[in-house]
């Protein structure tokens, strides 16, 4: 891609960390931040821009004060949203964030009509579905970032447990980006050695449980959700798309018959390249894994139905 211009909508913890990581990696020519609170985007763009004095390539980091100033991006990352407050139900949060996504997507369609969209806002799979429905774009252009982060969290747990293989751990998590996510130890490995040949059943169960709790553990300490690993995960996916590197990365994508489902988003392994999703990889799942996928899909469908009943897709 010639432009290598990335827009990030939502300059909060995750969006700004993604921008900073991209700038430090030297992945893009230009990163543009937009936030509904313009001063947040402006201040962080200045700070990150100053940090690029020591980055490998001089990435240009700017802020868009209004949505029309974020134009002609090759990729737009959506990290806009509100956190859940005590008085909100899950359905309340879903509806508020879906309204934000509606607003954001309207601007992307207007000002960056060719962009690939990387959705990060939660609840992830449902928001990614909303982006599909509101854009009507080919499904390869819309990708939800979840498996990259959950896989990183699982790698971290494996690393902690086995105590060797630093940087060599590859872990795969599929399904939804919530309570029913599916860490998949049978196809995870350290230095190419299958995990089940290194650790026993109890350790494996610990890794699965700790991976699922990965986000909540951080909230317990920080009282806010994570941003370093999410930011890095976004940057890795952006880089794969801009470089057309065709890495395999579990991501939330719209299924059209794969895994026995249609018209629902779900985290599955995909090949990431210049067209976004180059290919969806269909794993040959046993009955136990298929049952887990069904539970994941049901939980996503439940959220989609809440929005459908609110008239979001009509
Ligand atoms: N347009 C642009 N920005 C918006 C909009 C909007 N319509 N609505 C809210 N925002 C901005 C907020 O002003 C805030 O700066 O989105 C930003 C969200 O940032 P944080 O509250 O810091 O949240 P963060 O931790 O970055 O998480 C963002 O990513 O991982 C997910 O669950 C997380 O959905 C959440 C999102």
């Amino acid at each position: 891609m010639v432009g290598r211009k990335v827009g990030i909508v939502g300059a909060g913890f995750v969006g700004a960390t993604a921008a900073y990581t991209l700038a430090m990696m030297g992945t893009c020519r230009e990163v543009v931040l937009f936030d509904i609170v313009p001063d947040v985007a402006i201040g962080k763009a200045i700070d990150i821009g100053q940090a690029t004095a020591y980055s490998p390539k001089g990435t240009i980091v700017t802020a868009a004060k209004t949505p029309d100033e974020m134009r002609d991006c090759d990729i737009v990352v959506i990290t806009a949203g509100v956190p859940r407050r005590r008085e909100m139900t899950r359905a309340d949060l879903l509806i508020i964030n879906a309204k934000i996504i509606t607003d954001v997507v309207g601007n992307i369609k207007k000002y960056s009509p060719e962009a690939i969209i990387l959705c990060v806002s939660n609840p992830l799979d449902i928001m990614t579905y909303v982006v599909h429905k509101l854009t009507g774009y080919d499904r390869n252009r819309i990708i939800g970032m979840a498996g990259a982060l959950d896989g990183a969290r699982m790698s971290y747990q494996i690393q902690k447990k086995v105590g060797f293989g630093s940087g060599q751990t590859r872990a795969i998590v599929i399904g939804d980006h919530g309570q029913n996510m599916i860490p998949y130890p049978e196809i995870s490995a350290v230095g190419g050695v299958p995990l089940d040949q290194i650790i026993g059943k109890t350790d494996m169960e610990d890794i699965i449980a700790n991976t699922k709790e990965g986000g909540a553990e951080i909230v317990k300490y920080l009282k806010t959700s994570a941003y370093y690993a999410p930011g890095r995960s976004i940057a890795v996916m952006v880089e794969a798309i801009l470089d057309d590197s065709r890495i395999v990365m579990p991501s939330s994508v719209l299924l059209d018959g794969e895994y026995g489902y249609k018209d629902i988003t779900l985290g599955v392994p995909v090949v990431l390249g210049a067209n976004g999703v180059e290919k969806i990889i269909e794993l040959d799942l046993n009955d136990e894994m298929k049952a887990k996928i069904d539970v994941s899909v049901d939980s996503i469908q439940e959220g989609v139905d809440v929005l459908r009943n609110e008239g979001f897709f009509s």
Side-chain angles (χ1 to χ4, degrees), residues 217-239:
E217 185 186 13
I218 293 166
V219 174
K220 191 176 80 186
Y221 291 111
L222 289 185
K223 316 290 178 235
T224 182
S225 51
Y227 43 98
Y228 291 114
R232 174 70 174 147
S233 303
I234 292 167
V236 166
M237 292 178 76
V238 166
E239 186 176 60

Side-chain angles (χ1 to χ4, degrees), residues 78-288:
I78 305 177
T79 66
V82 297
R84 185 168 162 189
R85 284 189 294 272
R86 210 171 281 170
E87 69 278 9
M88 283 182 197
T89 64
R90 286 176 76 83
D92 289 341
L93 180 74
L94 191 60
I95 292 163
I96 291 170
N97 278 350
K99 283 183 179 152
I100 290 174
I101 298 292
T102 306
D103 174 37
V104 170
V105 163
N107 289 322
I108 297 174
K109 282 176 79 173
K110 238 192 259 173
Y111 303 115
S112 293
E114 305 296 327
I116 287 172
I117 301 177
L118 193 58
C119 182
V120 182
S121 302
N122 274 314
L124 188 276
D125 305 280
I126 305 166
M127 293 305 121
T128 305
Y129 183 87
V130 171
V131 178
H132 277 287
K133 288 291 139 183
L134 297 183
T135 58
Y137 288 173
D138 290 343
R139 62 181 177 141
N140 60 290
R141 288 178 57 188
I142 295 156
I143 313 163
M145 191 290 285
L149 172 61
D150 296 327
R153 287 180 169 156
M154 186 172 172
S155 292
Y156 173 83
Q157 296 300 339
I158 293 170
Q159 183 68 57
K160 261 176 73 178
K161 191 66 90 179
V162 303
F164 57 78
S166 171
Q168 289 189 302
T169 307
R170 294 290 169 263
I172 294 208
V173 180
I174 58 174
D176 68 286
H177 183 53
Q179 273 311 302
N180 303 306
M181 74 173 70
I182 311 168
Y184 202 160
E186 291 81 359
I187 56 172
S188 300
V190 181
V193 180
L195 201 53
D196 57 7
Q197 296 191 25
I198 306 172
I199 57 170
K201 196 165 176 289
T202 314
D203 283 344
M204 200 88 102
E205 284 166 3
D206 282 352
I207 288 169
I208 291 172
N210 292 338
T211 301
K212 287 182 161 192
E213 284 302 304
E217 185 186 13
I218 293 166
V219 174
K220 191 176 80 186
Y221 291 111
L222 289 185
K223 316 290 178 235
T224 182
S225 51
Y227 43 98
Y228 291 114
R232 174 70 174 147
S233 303
I234 292 167
V236 166
M237 292 178 76
V238 166
E239 186 176 60
I241 296 165
L242 291 177
D243 289 352
D244 192 24
S245 60
R246 299 177 180 237
I247 59 169
V248 175
M249 186 64 84
S251 306
S252 189
V253 294
L254 191 72
L255 300 181
D256 187 24
E258 296 87 1
Y259 294 86
Y261 285 99
K262 269 178 186 270
D263 196 33
I264 193 74
T265 40
L266 185 72
V268 295
V270 306
V271 175
L272 289 181
N275 298 302
V277 179
E278 301 286 347
K279 179 184 169 63
I280 294 176
I281 296 175
E282 271 198 85
L283 297 166
D284 188 12
L285 301 176
N286 62 24
D287 287 347
E288 190 192 337

